[in-house]
Structure formats: C-alpha cells, structure tokens
Amino acid sequence: MIFVLGGTSDSLMISDMLTKKGANFSLSVATEYGETLAKQHAKKVFCGRLTKAEMLTKWQTERVTAVIDATHPFATIVSETAMEACLEAEIPYIRFERTREQTDNTILVADVEEACTVANKLGERIFLTTGSKNLPEFVERLKHKHIIARILPVSAVIRSAEELGLVADQLIGMKGPFTTEANKTQLEMTQADVLITKESGKQGGFQEKLAAAAELNIPVIVIRRKCLNYPVEINQLSELPEILTQLEVY
C-alpha cells in the first residue's frame, strides 16, 4: 500500500491520480478539516499526527510499500520525520515539492522572527497571509502593530485567533487561493501597508499576492521555506506514475 502524507491541494490531486490508477493507498492528514476534504478524494483516510515510532508501526501493520510526502512546504518537521522513518523501514520516500516562484521586489527573510523585525520598521498595519500556526508568534512580536490575519473560516481556528486578542476587524476568515483582484481588494479594504506571506508556491496563490501588493505599492515580506535534501523529489504530478512504476509499488 502507498501511504500519502497530505493536508494540501497537491495531496488531493495525487489521490485522484492514484484512484484512477487503481492503486491501493491511504491518505494521511493532521486536522479534522483536512479529513473532511480528504474523504472526498480517498477511500482510506487517516487523521492524526504521527511520531516516527507511530509511523513505523502503522506502516508495518498496513504493509506500506512507499511513502509520498505531499505535505505543506513549511511542514518540514513532518518531512524530516518521514524521511528518517522510511530510511529505517527501508521504504521508498518520494517528495512532491512545489516549484519555487520568482520573488522580485520582495524582502526575503528566513523565519517569523526576522519577518517581524522587518515589519516593525516598515508599517503599522500588517496583513498576514501565513495561516494560523504561527499567529501566536506574530502577535507576540508585533505587539504595537495592527495585525490583520487571513485565516481559514473554521470555528476552531477563528476561536484560537480570538483567544490571542484579535478582534473582528483583524480577522478575515476565507479559504484561498485568491486572485490578484481579491488580494488587492482585501489589502485596500484593510488599509494594510505591509504584507507578510510565505513562499508557498503556485498552489498557494503566491504570485497573485505579490501582484496585488505591487499594484498598491505595498512592501512584501516573504518567509523562505527551508531546503531539505530529499532522496527522491518530483515537482510535477506527471512525474509520479513513472517513479512508482520504477519502484514497483503499485
């Protein structure tokens, strides 16, 4: 069986492809929201976060023959754990990695801390399109700024943002990706003067964010994603069937 580490739109496309191929696979996600989406694309869905030991046990029980890692580009801990587990279990590991997008006219930073250091010097109204995971750190490091956070319209996510002290005019509950025009409208509506985003790739609507900010002459701070040394990496869905055939894991 093929074990797909998901939680992204990439993993859903991979699941659709595996279904068409008649492959035996399981799609793993970390959240209930992800589980809801996953069940529309895979018959076997696992919801929960796994340690390396749990991965090894589950993969042995389910006779997993290959792992496809299609997690978010910033979920590097999961990827590192999966690579270690695959090496130990002698199971092929395939990483579906989003291609890097051009980042002209942006300020590139390594992490949230550096992003906040730069943002504190650039403006007062900071528009975040970085999700909810790092929101506590942004709130802590941008104490004297007006934060506008665009997050998933899920009750648990919105509740966690409110618990951090963010109020209605600081929250946009919408699911992306967004067009350039939609981004522009939201930036104008909130009177943002700085945009912070992650190097999430085409699937995350990265270029549309940059284009909208450029039209409004708003500086963009881009948090770079960590580069990992994947044993097998593909960047296009069309590459996957050949790789799986070579590994004889269908």
Side-chain angles (χ1 to χ4, degrees):
M1 185 179 77
I2 299 170
F3 194 80
V4 181
L5 290 165
T8 60
S9 58
D10 308 313
S11 66
L12 301 181
M13 290 189 295
I14 288 171
S15 295
D16 290 343
M17 189 212 75
L18 292 175
T19 298
K20 288 181 181 179
K21 293 286 185 181
N24 181 22
F25 74 97
S26 176
L27 177 56
S28 173
V29 296
T31 66
E32 291 182 4
Y33 175 71
E35 183 180 19
T36 300
L37 293 179
K39 286 181 176 178
Q40 299 173 30
H41 298 264
K43 292 180 179 179
K44 299 177 184 177
V45 176
F46 171 79
C47 181
R49 292 176 170 83
L50 297 169
T51 64
K52 185 176 81 170
E54 290 169 338
M55 285 180 183
L56 289 170
T57 299
K58 188 171 185 61
W59 295 348
Q60 182 178 26
T61 301
E62 299 187 0
R63 298 182 180 180
V64 171
T65 54
V67 171
I68 301 174
D69 180 3
T71 55
H72 193 275
F74 282 82
T76 53
I77 293 177
V78 178
S79 295
E80 289 170 334
T81 303
M83 280 191 283
E84 290 177 9
C86 284
L87 185 63
E88 188 170 325
E90 298 183 343
I91 295 173
Y93 169 97
I94 304 163
R95 170 62 180 173
F96 184 89
E97 180 75 344
R98 296 176 180 178
T99 54
R100 289 182 176 271
E101 298 286 297
Q102 290 296 110
T103 52
D104 297 335
N105 303 316
T106 61
I107 302 166
L108 304 178
V109 298
D111 51 31
V112 173
E113 181 179 357
E114 188 179 356
C116 292
T117 298
V118 175
N120 273 312
K121 299 175 183 177
L122 290 180
E124 298 300 317
R125 299 177 69 84
I126 317 297
F127 194 101
L128 301 177
T129 65
T130 51
S132 59
K133 182 179 179 181
N134 300 115
L135 200 50
E137 190 174 355
F138 279 113
V139 171
E140 174 63 26
R141 295 183 181 279
L142 297 172
K143 284 182 179 179
H144 305 295
K145 304 297 181 180
H146 183 86
I147 293 173
I148 304 105
R150 190 166 71 191
I151 56 179
L152 282 174
V154 178
S155 58
V157 174
I158 294 173
R159 191 181 310 115
S160 65
E162 291 175 334
E163 289 172 353
L164 291 171
L166 300 182
V167 295
D169 73 334
Q170 293 179 279
L171 298 174
I172 296 177
M174 296 181 70
K175 182 184 181 301
F178 300 91
T179 63
T180 298
E181 193 58 39
N183 282 307
K184 184 179 176 182
T185 297
Q186 292 173 22
L187 288 168
E188 288 180 313
M189 179 183 69
T190 57
Q191 299 180 315
D193 47 27
V194 180
L195 170 64
I196 300 179
T197 190
K198 289 182 176 180
E199 189 187 21
S200 55
K202 181 179 180 180
Q203 295 89 328
F206 183 67
Q207 289 295 343
E208 288 79 2
K209 298 173 192 176
L210 301 193
E215 287 188 32
L216 298 172
N217 198 29
I218 292 174
V220 181
I221 301 170
V222 178
I223 302 174
R224 300 299 301 271
R225 66 191 194 226
K226 184 178 178 181
C227 293
L228 299 181
N229 185 24
Y230 301 112
V232 178
E233 177 185 329
I234 61 174
N235 306 112
Q236 302 294 331
L237 188 62
S238 58
E239 299 175 73
L240 188 55
E242 183 178 352
I243 293 290
L244 293 175
T245 299
Q246 290 174 357
L247 294 173
E248 299 180 348
V249 295
Y250 268 129

